[in-house]
Amino acid sequence: MKKLIITVCILAFAAAAVQAQNKITNVRGFWVVEHNINLPRVQTIKFYNDNNKLIYEETVYSKLNIKKKKTRLALDQVLDRLNERTAYVESKNLVMLSLNLRH
């Protein structure tokens, strides 16, 4: 009887672990922030799609702290908006507007 209970418990834990790993993330591209050590207040944000193709690029003249959740969330939202469009975006202020930065 003990072996049966232990076996059932092991199978239950294994089933729970399998379902936890089946999460499907909806990753639709990525963004990269580039900066120069000599010019720390000038940063370039590049947005890429799933095929590693550049879809948007913007230069920002203020220091972005990408460790902040608010900054990462704003960049992710810009990426989502860019992924909804199929052509290259001509507007040059998407990041500055989403983060309320001054030029």
Side-chain angles (χ1 to χ4, degrees), residues 31 33 43 63-69 71-72 75:
W31 49 265
V33 177
Q43 296 181 333
K63 182 127 174 83
L64 294 178
N65 187 359
I66 58 171
K67 293 180 182 179
K68 289 185 178 181
K69 187 175 182 178
T71 304
R72 291 192 315 265
L75 292 174

Side-chain angles (χ1 to χ4, degrees), residues 25-96:
T25 57
N26 228 354
V27 177
R28 295 176 32 165
F30 59 96
W31 49 265
V32 177
V33 177
E34 298 176 352
H35 62 81
N36 186 346
I37 295 174
N38 298 327
L39 300 170
R41 304 212 32 88
V42 178
Q43 296 181 333
T44 303
I45 300 101
K46 295 182 179 182
F47 294 91
Y48 296 90
N49 62 6
D50 290 337
N51 300 327
N52 298 334
K53 182 180 175 188
L54 181 68
I55 56 175
Y56 182 70
E57 178 178 5
E58 183 175 338
T59 301
V60 178
Y61 298 97
S62 64
K63 182 127 174 83
L64 294 178
N65 187 359
I66 58 171
K67 293 180 182 179
K68 289 185 178 181
K69 187 175 182 178
K70 178 183 173 184
T71 304
R72 291 192 315 265
L73 183 62
L75 292 174
D76 288 339
Q77 288 175 349
V78 171
L79 179 63
D80 288 340
R81 279 189 261 149
L82 290 170
N83 278 324
E84 292 172 359
R85 300 179 183 161
T86 57
Y88 188 82
V89 180
E90 293 297 325
S91 174
K92 296 293 180 185
N93 294 324
L94 292 176
V95 175
M96 289 181 62

